[in-house]
Amino acid sequence: AACPPGKPAPKQVSKTYSLAADALFDFDRSGPGDMNQKGRDSLDKLAAELKDIDKLESVTIYGYTDRLGSVPYNQRLSQNRANTVKMYLAERGIPASKMKAIGRGKADQIEPCPGLSGQALRDCLHPNRRVVLEVKGFTLENIPAKSSNDPQPIPVEGVSPD
């Protein structure tokens, strides 16, 4: 059925945001008290964007770690980071029922960093420590859905879109 005249048609919104875990949390940390100010500011801006989506369908929050540490430890750390981001966004008015937090541990590594050790290795592995948010919904505004030709969705300082 067509929309009545003067009523905009809903536009699908599908965006992915990647936030460096180090920009959200101190190294090897995951709790609400471990979030730094830059991370809070980034999530505040992201929450404001999410509130602009007229019909928010889902926000899937994936936590990732680097490859250092045991599998159980990294799984727990990544899950805790995802849970903390979910809780923070819920406290800013994003419905918790629309969000799902998933810890992915050291899955989907971006940088393998072979042959490095110590601080050089830790610095190289930085891109692997991240929180990724997949957002789906509908808006009545003319905000196009993400496509492979879109260089970036709406920019948020401290939040880098994938």
Side-chain angles (χ1 to χ4, degrees), residues 88-144:
Y88 191 88
L89 292 174
E91 289 171 354
R92 270 127 197 96
I94 306 305
S97 63
K98 302 283 184 182
M99 294 187 285
K100 182 176 187 180
I102 300 172
R104 301 273 298 150
K106 63 182 182 176
D108 305 322
Q109 295 288 289
I110 296 169
E111 294 291 336
C113 306
L116 298 175
S117 62
Q119 187 63 44
L121 176 60
R122 189 172 135 187
D123 291 346
C124 179
L125 292 173
H126 176 268
N128 300 321
R129 300 185 294 271
R130 65 200 187 279
V131 175
V132 175
L133 296 93
E134 292 180 355
V135 178
K136 295 186 188 313
F138 292 90
T139 185
L140 298 178
E141 297 178 52
N142 191 16
I143 299 174

Side-chain angles (χ1 to χ4, degrees), residues 35-46 88 156-159:
M35 288 182 66
N36 60 45
Q37 190 58 50
K38 182 178 178 184
R40 286 184 179 90
D41 292 344
S42 296
L43 289 175
D44 288 345
K45 290 177 184 176
L46 183 58
Y88 191 88
V156 176
E157 186 178 323
V159 179

Side-chain angles (χ1 to χ4, degrees), residues 17 42-61 83-101 133-137:
Y17 297 93
S42 296
L43 289 175
D44 288 345
K45 290 177 184 176
L46 183 58
E49 270 196 36
L50 296 178
K51 288 179 184 178
D52 285 341
I53 298 173
D54 295 312
K55 184 173 177 3
L56 185 63
E57 297 273 315
S58 67
V59 178
T60 306
I61 304 160
N83 289 341
T84 298
V85 169
K86 177 182 174 181
M87 182 183 69
Y88 191 88
L89 292 174
E91 289 171 354
R92 270 127 197 96
I94 306 305
S97 63
K98 302 283 184 182
M99 294 187 285
K100 182 176 187 180
L133 296 93
E134 292 180 355
V135 178
K136 295 186 188 313

